[in-house]
Amino acid sequence: MSIAEHFAGQRPLFSAIGKAGACSVLALALLLPGFPGPQAKVEVPDEYQPVSPTIDQARANILIARQLQFTHFRDLGISDDLSDDVFHSYLDYLDGQRIYLTQEDIDAMADIRDMLGPALRTGQLQPGFYVYNLVQQRIIDRLEFALGLLDQGIDNLDFSTDEEILLDRTDASWEADQAALDTLWRKRIKNAVLSQRLNGTEDSSIEENLRRRYEGQLKRAYQARSEDAFQAYMNAFTSMWDPHTSYFSPRTSENFNINMSLSLEGIGAVLQSDNEYTKVVRLVPGGPASKQGQLQPADRIVSVAQDDEKPVNVIGWRLDEVVDLIRGPQDSVVTLEVIPANATDETVTRTIAIQRDEVKLEEQSASKSVIELERGGEPRQIGVITIPTFYADFQAMQAGDPNYKSTTRDVRKLIEELESDGIEGIVIDLRNNGGGALHEANDLVGLFIDQGPTVQIRNAKNEVQVLEDEDPTVAYDGPLVVLVNRMSASASEIFAGAIQDYGRGLVVGSQTFGKGTVQAVRPLNHGQLKITQSKFYRVSGGSTQHKGVIPDIEIPSRIDKTRIGEDALDHALPWDQIESVPHTRYFDFSAVIPELRERHSERFDTNPEFKLLQKEIEFLKKQRQMDYVSLNPEKRREHYDQIENTRLAITNARRELRGDEPFESLDELEDWQEQEAANPDSTDAESDFVIREGGQIMADLVELDRHMASIEQSSRLAAQAGPQ
């Protein structure tokens, strides 16, 4: 009997069980563990207990399906055509690197691939659980194979051949059969051994590290739970609508904020599952990780260690369990082993020690500084206001505290202080600001305009709500520049877009993230569903979704836009536009932007800092474009030395520009980087450079504004004088 024939004879689980549960024994007997598999039957060892769906999960599946069809912003039905997409999305989640399953396995699941859509409509979870159990069995097979190779000793691995290994297998074909997969895994282990040898690790330690990694993953595979399969399956299903719609299990729902940030007695990082890894999405401003400086977005966590204890390998762990390891008592130290976002392959890791702490509101607060420039022999002062996030102390506000903290209140005070210092323009720095309180973005726009709309919000029924600044007062009406980068998202994009649409200031930097959707969390009988229900639109009508905000003047960044940003996510909602709403246009920058860009380019063409930044970006780009690495020690060492020498050369060139002594070795560079990371007051070279360039553009703007004002005044005087 084929898979399709087996499932065709069953009623939906929800219907088979009934309200009274009288048929529960029969229904549970029909679940996965005992049903016949495809022609290529999966052999399940005694140690592994296949997981089965529950009645509550079946009911939750039906509720999720209804919510997606009738309340999600995207109008997408659960058709038969959806089956194939869900199937591949599910496999991407379970085996995204194509290292456990074979093409034989995929072919054997052809019937399942065609039935997922109808089954998900009616709460039949058995097909999805079958796939999950098959993958778990294949994971166990592979890890036992890897441990068997280690038992033979890594000194028996043959490195004399000129083999290569593909670094990123996301788009690779499935290996044909088990023999081909054995070859792949031999290469994977050789790659891991070679990378650690090049780092100077002894063979005994390499073998211990790898054994600990594989044994830890094997233990997790044997401990698979029904909830793991259900959450993975539901998230493959919900991701068809958009990447921000997801299912939270009951345990995750109890502590929803761990999916948003580890800000309370943690490290202050937003984490998410990424295949078998836990990936850093962004850092919480003012949090321990942000202040420590080494952890970066797109880093993947390999292991977690408490104080001086041995690290625990967390590859293959559930997100909530990784979070539990990372959280801990305030002032204690957690050490993360991570694969850096720009690593050449998954065996290149670095260790980062972070002292746990609470994220305090005052550490997320807006702050000010003054840039002093010289133009034509005259000093110029430009004010800078850095806003890490859009915040508000809601408890103090509700308690009636007249001095409660918020972004808008704090920025208003900083503007007053800067104006009293005699600044000629203000730069608002929103780089790395991931958003926050929407009403604060609305109010902040109001500090720079008289009155008017700030953002439009459209729901699935095409109903549009317009948020407005109703306060006619203006805190600052002088020249304005807004700095953004790829990590500027959500509320930051609303503010930057409004300033650009009103012609109130210039936007400078790199294209923003493109997060222009609104989610709501809805309870289910079993867990919760976070579902996208609305989209943001600028007052000019264009959405901030997918496209983000395009700067008037672009400054390149180290951040890889192909890996970070809304347009890098599968099934992201597209950019579109609606009608604009009436709003004042304070200034038309189109007349001066060409001149501003030309001056900016001239500075960059002769600026050694920018040349180094370009060289570093190109270096990182080449690293990311590497598809294969050699498993030959000599070739690998040559490649490794080239990368590390380039990195050292760029760092030393930057130090020489600043009058610092160059480093003699990579070890000396890495020691310095650790010391810098431990100093929260240290200044990042790119950040300092971009802020100063923002000040230069502001100074250009002030000069051009004065020049144009002078021309206008001359024209008026000439008109008043009349013909001579």
Side-chain angles (χ1 to χ4, degrees):
M1 181 185 294
S2 70
I3 295 176
E5 290 170 336
H6 174 80
F7 286 133
Q10 296 186 27
R11 288 178 292 160
L13 177 62
F14 186 75
S15 302
I17 292 169
K19 290 185 179 179
C23 301
S24 59
V25 175
L26 172 61
L28 292 175
L30 293 174
L31 300 185
L32 178 63
F35 89 88
Q39 291 80 356
K41 186 177 179 180
V42 181
E43 294 295 330
V44 179
D46 294 337
E47 293 87 350
Y48 176 66
Q49 298 298 318
V51 296
S52 305
T54 67
I55 299 170
D56 283 342
Q57 289 170 349
R59 290 172 174 158
N61 173 196
I62 293 173
L63 292 173
I64 290 169
R66 290 174 180 169
Q67 293 267 18
L68 291 172
Q69 290 181 94
F70 301 118
T71 64
H72 194 280
F73 186 88
R74 172 174 265 160
D75 183 14
L76 180 65
I78 306 176
S79 63
D80 292 350
D81 294 338
L82 194 70
S83 295
D84 188 66
D85 290 337
V86 173
F87 178 74
H88 287 103
S89 174
Y90 194 26
L91 291 184
D92 284 343
Y93 181 86
L94 297 175
D95 186 15
Q97 286 295 309
R98 311 288 196 264
I99 58 175
Y100 300 122
L101 298 175
T102 65
Q103 188 61 50
E104 288 180 349
D105 292 325
I106 304 302
D107 293 342
M109 291 188 287
D111 290 340
I112 281 183
R113 183 176 56 205
D114 297 333
M115 69 168 61
L116 295 187
L120 285 164
R121 274 200 306 267
T122 54
Q124 290 191 85
L125 295 171
Q126 299 95 323
F129 273 65
Y130 176 84
V131 174
Y132 184 85
N133 282 319
L134 172 62
V135 175
Q136 289 302 113
Q137 177 58 57
R138 293 297 184 248
I139 290 173
I140 290 169
D141 293 343
R142 286 297 98 208
L143 294 173
E144 288 180 342
F145 174 83
L147 288 168
L149 281 182
L150 293 180
D151 288 340
Q152 298 172 22
I154 62 175
D155 55 325
N156 288 322
L157 294 172
D158 182 11
F159 289 94
S160 62
T161 60
D162 193 15
E163 290 183 311
E164 290 185 325
I165 187 170
L166 180 63
L167 295 175
D168 183 2
R169 293 182 51 82
T170 303
D171 299 320
S173 300
W174 300 97
E175 295 296 337
D177 49 32
Q178 291 298 314
L181 212 52
D182 287 349
T183 300
L184 171 63
W185 273 78
R186 285 191 185 92
K187 288 184 177 181
R188 284 173 57 84
I189 292 173
K190 286 174 64 176
N191 185 41
V193 170
L194 184 54
S195 293
Q196 293 188 54
R197 280 179 176 173
L198 291 176
N199 287 332
T201 308
E202 298 291 334
D203 276 8
S204 58
S205 297
I206 294 174
E207 189 168 334
E208 180 185 353
N209 293 340
L210 293 178
R211 187 175 298 280
R212 187 168 61 241
R213 172 183 296 189
Y214 296 139
E215 287 178 347
Q217 290 178 253
L218 189 60
K219 180 180 178 181
R220 308 311 299 174
Y222 281 130
Q223 293 175 344
R225 304 180 308 186
S226 174
E227 201 57 51
D228 300 334
F230 182 64
Q231 182 159 302
Y233 191 30
M234 286 303 100
N235 279 323
F237 179 37
T238 61
S239 70
M240 295 297 98
W241 275 258
D242 86 302
H244 303 292
T245 295
S246 57
Y247 167 74
F248 296 155
S249 70
R251 181 181 179 188
T252 304
S253 300
E254 288 174 5
N255 199 359
F256 173 64
N257 71 310
I258 65 174
N259 290 276
M260 305 301 290
S261 71
L262 303 180
S263 58
L264 180 60
E265 294 184 357
I267 61 170
V270 179
L271 307 178
Q272 71 178 31
S273 295
D274 181 31
N275 294 319
E276 58 189 351
Y277 291 101
T278 297
K279 184 175 75 173
V280 179
V281 180
R282 65 179 177 86
L283 304 180
V284 178
S290 175
K291 291 192 292 183
Q292 198 269 1
Q294 288 181 296
L295 195 66
Q296 296 296 322
D299 285 356
R300 288 170 290 171
I301 300 173
V302 173
S303 69
V304 180
Q306 314 296 335
D307 293 312
D308 296 326
E309 297 178 8
K310 280 190 174 183
V312 176
N313 186 278
V314 295
I315 298 175
W317 281 39
R318 293 179 287 271
L319 176 63
D320 55 357
E321 293 185 335
V322 178
V323 167
D324 287 343
L325 274 184
I326 293 176
R327 302 178 96 180
Q330 188 171 350
D331 296 329
S332 61
V333 175
V334 61
T335 301
L336 307 180
E337 180 189 4
V338 304
I339 301 170
N342 60 357
T344 52
D345 66 80
E346 293 183 351
T347 62
V348 176
T349 64
R350 69 182 305 185
T351 301
I352 302 172
I354 303 173
Q355 186 172 13
R356 298 180 178 102
D357 199 356
E358 290 189 50
V359 178
K360 300 178 179 64
L361 185 59
E362 57 269 23
E363 292 178 342
Q364 300 184 38
S365 298
S367 60
K368 68 177 175 70
S369 60
V370 175
I371 297 175
E372 294 188 356
L373 305 172
E374 187 173 308
R375 287 296 182 93
E378 296 182 4
R380 295 284 171 82
Q381 288 193 322
I382 307 297
V384 178
I385 297 178
T386 302
I387 305 176
T389 186
F390 286 86
Y391 56 89
D393 190 341
F394 293 106
Q395 290 184 341
M397 186 191 311
Q398 292 170 354
D401 183 350
N403 298 314
Y404 74 87
K405 288 185 68 63
S406 76
T407 303
T408 306
R409 292 164 67 96
D410 289 349
V411 170
R412 186 187 293 271
K413 293 176 184 176
L414 295 176
I415 289 172
E416 292 173 356
E417 293 171 6
L418 288 172
E419 287 192 309
S420 67
D421 291 337
I423 52 93
E424 297 183 69
I426 291 179
V427 175
I428 301 290
D429 188 0
L430 295 181
R431 289 171 306 153
N432 303 318
N433 183 323
L438 174 61
H439 76 272
E440 285 299 318
N442 176 71
D443 293 347
L444 190 67
V445 174
L447 296 184
F448 304 96
I449 66 170
D450 295 325
Q451 278 180 307
T454 59
V455 65
Q456 303 183 77
I457 306 172
R458 180 167 73 101
N459 64 21
K461 297 179 181 179
N462 282 327
E463 298 168 335
V464 178
Q465 175 190 7
V466 180
L467 299 188
E468 299 202 22
D469 165 44
E470 299 178 353
D471 184 354
T473 63
V474 175
Y476 176 74
D477 61 2
L480 188 66
V481 165
V482 180
L483 288 180
V484 295
N485 67 359
R486 190 61 162 179
M487 299 306 298
S488 305
S490 195
S492 291
E493 296 174 291
I494 290 171
F495 176 82
I499 294 298
Q500 195 175 54
D501 288 342
Y502 273 91
R504 185 58 195 83
L506 284 172
V507 178
V508 175
S510 53
Q511 181 184 12
T512 60
F513 192 94
K515 170 66 166 65
T517 56
V518 185
Q519 287 72 41
V521 178
R522 296 183 177 170
L524 304 167
N525 68 301
H526 185 77
Q528 293 177 310
L529 178 68
K530 179 163 70 81
I531 188 168
T532 297
Q533 60 181 15
S534 307
K535 283 177 76 173
F536 289 128
Y537 294 82
R538 294 163 58 156
V539 295
S540 57
S543 176
T544 56
Q545 169 62 16
H546 207 278
K547 183 186 291 187
V549 177
I550 307 299
D552 300 302
I553 298 175
E554 186 172 355
I555 297 178
S557 169
R558 301 187 191 110
I559 299 173
D560 181 7
K561 293 201 296 184
T562 65
R563 299 182 64 181
I564 296 176
E566 190 77 6
D567 55 5
L569 301 176
D570 291 334
H571 306 292
L573 292 179
W575 179 89
D576 63 342
Q577 62 184 115
I578 59 177
E579 290 188 10
S580 64
V581 288
H583 59 280
T584 303
R585 183 76 178 172
Y586 287 88
F587 188 80
D588 183 4
F589 286 101
S590 61
V592 297
I593 284 179
E595 175 66 20
L596 290 172
R597 287 175 178 167
E598 186 175 341
R599 292 188 182 193
H600 164 72
S601 296
E602 288 176 357
R603 277 193 299 273
F604 271 25
D605 287 344
T606 58
N607 190 310
E609 282 273 15
F610 177 65
K611 289 181 178 179
L612 279 176
L613 178 60
Q614 283 183 310
K615 186 175 181 180
E616 188 173 8
I617 291 171
E618 191 61 33
F619 166 64
L620 294 172
K621 184 178 178 181
K622 286 181 179 179
Q623 282 187 267
R624 295 169 189 140
Q625 290 175 341
M626 282 185 53
D627 294 328
Y628 290 86
V629 291
S630 174
L631 297 178
N632 179 277
E634 288 74 23
K635 289 186 177 181
R636 187 67 164 271
R637 167 59 71 182
E638 181 181 349
H639 172 69
Y640 181 85
D641 288 345
Q642 182 182 7
I643 290 175
E644 295 304 304
N645 289 335
T646 302
R647 179 175 150 219
L648 181 63
I650 291 173
T651 301
N652 281 339
R654 183 168 284 127
R655 287 181 65 80
E656 289 175 7
L657 280 176
R658 296 171 176 237
D660 298 326
E661 288 292 322
F663 296 118
E664 295 183 3
S665 67
L666 285 168
D667 290 340
E668 189 178 346
L669 165 61
E670 289 172 353
D671 289 343
W672 174 80
Q673 286 178 329
E674 289 184 8
Q675 294 171 7
E676 286 292 290
N679 176 17
D681 296 325
S682 62
T683 303
D684 175 70
E686 179 183 347
S687 176
D688 180 63
F689 168 68
V690 173
I691 286 177
R692 290 195 66 81
E693 179 57 23
Q696 294 281 11
I697 292 171
M698 171 62 70
D700 290 338
L701 186 60
V702 170
E703 287 181 359
L704 290 174
D705 184 53
R706 288 176 178 172
H707 178 66
M708 292 179 69
S710 175
I711 293 175
E712 289 177 2
Q713 184 179 13
S714 299
S715 298
R716 285 197 300 270
L717 291 174
Q720 290 171 2
Q724 298 295 319

Short mmCIF file of all heavy atoms in Angstrom, two decimals, residues 484 486 493 496-497 500 507-512 538 546-554 561 597:
data_model
loop_
_atom_site.label_atom_id
_atom_site.label_comp_id
_atom_site.label_asym_id
_atom_site.label_seq_id
_atom_site.Cartn_x
_atom_site.Cartn_y
_atom_site.Cartn_z
N VAL A 484 20.68 56.09 7.86
CA VAL A 484 20.06 54.76 7.96
C VAL A 484 21.02 53.72 7.39
O VAL A 484 21.96 54.05 6.66
CB VAL A 484 18.72 54.69 7.20
CG1 VAL A 484 17.68 55.61 7.83
CG2 VAL A 484 18.91 55.02 5.72
N ARG A 486 21.09 49.01 6.60
CA ARG A 486 20.26 47.83 6.35
C ARG A 486 19.54 47.35 7.61
O ARG A 486 18.50 46.70 7.52
CB ARG A 486 21.14 46.72 5.80
CG ARG A 486 20.39 45.50 5.27
CD ARG A 486 19.48 45.85 4.12
NE ARG A 486 19.08 44.68 3.35
CZ ARG A 486 18.28 44.73 2.30
NH1 ARG A 486 17.79 45.88 1.89
NH2 ARG A 486 17.96 43.63 1.64
N GLU A 493 11.98 53.09 9.53
CA GLU A 493 11.65 53.31 8.13
C GLU A 493 10.45 54.25 7.99
O GLU A 493 10.38 55.02 7.03
CB GLU A 493 11.36 51.96 7.47
CG GLU A 493 12.59 51.07 7.45
CD GLU A 493 12.31 49.67 6.92
OE1 GLU A 493 11.61 48.91 7.62
OE2 GLU A 493 12.81 49.34 5.83
N ALA A 496 12.03 57.78 8.64
CA ALA A 496 12.88 58.21 7.53
C ALA A 496 12.05 58.47 6.28
O ALA A 496 12.28 59.44 5.55
CB ALA A 496 13.95 57.15 7.25
N GLY A 497 11.06 57.59 6.02
CA GLY A 497 10.21 57.77 4.84
C GLY A 497 9.39 59.04 4.92
O GLY A 497 9.22 59.75 3.91
N GLN A 500 11.55 62.08 4.31
CA GLN A 500 11.86 62.16 2.88
C GLN A 500 10.65 62.65 2.08
O GLN A 500 10.78 63.50 1.20
CB GLN A 500 12.30 60.77 2.39
CG GLN A 500 13.00 60.76 1.04
CD GLN A 500 13.50 59.37 0.69
OE1 GLN A 500 12.75 58.40 0.70
NE2 GLN A 500 14.79 59.26 0.39
N VAL A 507 17.83 61.75 3.43
CA VAL A 507 18.13 60.43 3.96
C VAL A 507 19.44 59.96 3.36
O VAL A 507 19.61 59.95 2.14
CB VAL A 507 16.99 59.44 3.65
CG1 VAL A 507 17.34 58.04 4.17
CG2 VAL A 507 15.68 59.91 4.27
N VAL A 508 20.38 59.56 4.23
CA VAL A 508 21.73 59.20 3.81
C VAL A 508 22.09 57.83 4.39
O VAL A 508 21.76 57.53 5.53
CB VAL A 508 22.75 60.26 4.30
CG1 VAL A 508 24.17 59.83 3.98
CG2 VAL A 508 22.44 61.62 3.67
N GLY A 509 22.77 57.00 3.60
CA GLY A 509 23.23 55.70 4.09
C GLY A 509 22.96 54.61 3.07
O GLY A 509 23.20 54.80 1.89
N SER A 510 22.46 53.47 3.54
CA SER A 510 22.16 52.36 2.64
C SER A 510 20.70 51.96 2.77
O SER A 510 20.02 52.32 3.74
CB SER A 510 23.07 51.16 2.95
OG SER A 510 23.02 50.81 4.31
N GLN A 511 20.21 51.23 1.79
CA GLN A 511 18.81 50.82 1.76
C GLN A 511 18.43 50.13 3.07
O GLN A 511 19.16 49.30 3.59
CB GLN A 511 18.59 49.84 0.59
CG GLN A 511 17.17 49.35 0.44
CD GLN A 511 17.05 48.33 -0.68
OE1 GLN A 511 18.05 47.83 -1.19
NE2 GLN A 511 15.83 48.01 -1.06
N THR A 512 17.27 50.50 3.61
CA THR A 512 16.84 49.97 4.90
C THR A 512 16.31 48.54 4.76
O THR A 512 16.23 47.98 3.67
CB THR A 512 15.78 50.88 5.54
OG1 THR A 512 14.64 50.95 4.67
CG2 THR A 512 16.34 52.27 5.77
N ARG A 538 3.84 54.76 3.17
CA ARG A 538 4.27 56.13 3.40
C ARG A 538 3.16 57.09 3.00
O ARG A 538 2.19 56.71 2.33
CB ARG A 538 5.55 56.40 2.59
CG ARG A 538 6.72 55.59 3.07
CD ARG A 538 7.85 55.51 2.08
NE ARG A 538 8.39 56.82 1.70
CZ ARG A 538 9.61 57.02 1.24
NH1 ARG A 538 10.45 55.99 1.12
NH2 ARG A 538 10.01 58.22 0.90
N HIS A 546 9.42 45.36 1.88
CA HIS A 546 10.28 44.76 0.85
C HIS A 546 11.34 45.73 0.31
O HIS A 546 12.51 45.41 0.25
CB HIS A 546 9.43 44.21 -0.31
CG HIS A 546 10.09 43.08 -1.04
ND1 HIS A 546 11.03 43.30 -2.02
CD2 HIS A 546 9.96 41.74 -0.93
CE1 HIS A 546 11.44 42.13 -2.48
NE2 HIS A 546 10.82 41.16 -1.82
N LYS A 547 10.90 46.92 -0.10
CA LYS A 547 11.84 47.88 -0.69
C LYS A 547 12.54 48.71 0.38
O LYS A 547 13.69 49.14 0.20
CB LYS A 547 11.10 48.80 -1.66
CG LYS A 547 12.00 49.79 -2.37
CD LYS A 547 11.22 50.78 -3.23
CE LYS A 547 10.60 50.14 -4.44
NZ LYS A 547 9.98 51.15 -5.35
N GLY A 548 11.86 48.96 1.50
CA GLY A 548 12.45 49.82 2.51
C GLY A 548 12.48 51.27 2.06
O GLY A 548 11.66 51.71 1.25
N VAL A 549 13.43 52.03 2.58
CA VAL A 549 13.63 53.43 2.19
C VAL A 549 14.95 53.53 1.43
O VAL A 549 15.99 53.07 1.92
CB VAL A 549 13.66 54.35 3.43
CG1 VAL A 549 13.94 55.79 3.02
CG2 VAL A 549 12.34 54.26 4.20
N ILE A 550 14.90 54.09 0.26
CA ILE A 550 16.10 54.27 -0.57
C ILE A 550 16.72 55.63 -0.25
O ILE A 550 16.05 56.66 -0.38
CB ILE A 550 15.76 54.19 -2.07
CG1 ILE A 550 14.99 52.90 -2.39
CG2 ILE A 550 17.04 54.27 -2.90
CD1 ILE A 550 15.74 51.63 -2.07
N PRO A 551 17.97 55.66 0.18
CA PRO A 551 18.59 56.94 0.56
C PRO A 551 18.72 57.90 -0.62
O PRO A 551 18.83 57.49 -1.77
CB PRO A 551 19.96 56.53 1.09
CG PRO A 551 19.87 55.07 1.36
CD PRO A 551 18.87 54.53 0.39
N ASP A 552 18.72 59.19 -0.29
CA ASP A 552 18.99 60.21 -1.31
C ASP A 552 20.47 60.18 -1.71
O ASP A 552 20.81 60.41 -2.87
CB ASP A 552 18.64 61.60 -0.77
CG ASP A 552 17.17 61.71 -0.39
OD1 ASP A 552 16.32 61.48 -1.27
OD2 ASP A 552 16.87 61.97 0.80
N ILE A 553 21.31 59.89 -0.72
CA ILE A 553 22.76 59.76 -0.97
C ILE A 553 23.20 58.46 -0.32
O ILE A 553 22.98 58.24 0.87
CB ILE A 553 23.54 60.95 -0.39
CG1 ILE A 553 23.10 62.25 -1.06
CG2 ILE A 553 25.05 60.74 -0.54
CD1 ILE A 553 23.73 63.49 -0.47
N GLU A 554 23.81 57.59 -1.11
CA GLU A 554 24.14 56.26 -0.61
C GLU A 554 25.57 56.18 -0.10
O GLU A 554 26.50 56.71 -0.71
CB GLU A 554 23.94 55.22 -1.71
CG GLU A 554 24.13 53.79 -1.22
CD GLU A 554 23.73 52.76 -2.25
OE1 GLU A 554 23.22 53.14 -3.32
OE2 GLU A 554 23.94 51.56 -1.99
N LYS A 561 23.56 42.56 2.06
CA LYS A 561 22.14 42.72 1.77
C LYS A 561 21.51 41.45 1.22
O LYS A 561 20.29 41.32 1.25
CB LYS A 561 21.93 43.87 0.78
CG LYS A 561 22.28 45.24 1.34
CD LYS A 561 21.60 46.35 0.57
CE LYS A 561 22.06 46.41 -0.86
NZ LYS A 561 21.45 47.56 -1.60
N ARG A 597 25.59 64.95 -4.18
CA ARG A 597 26.18 63.66 -4.54
C ARG A 597 27.57 63.83 -5.13
O ARG A 597 28.49 63.05 -4.86
CB ARG A 597 25.28 62.92 -5.52
CG ARG A 597 24.01 62.36 -4.89
CD ARG A 597 23.10 61.74 -5.95
NE ARG A 597 21.91 61.15 -5.34
CZ ARG A 597 20.84 60.78 -6.03
NH1 ARG A 597 20.81 60.94 -7.37
NH2 ARG A 597 19.80 60.25 -5.42
#
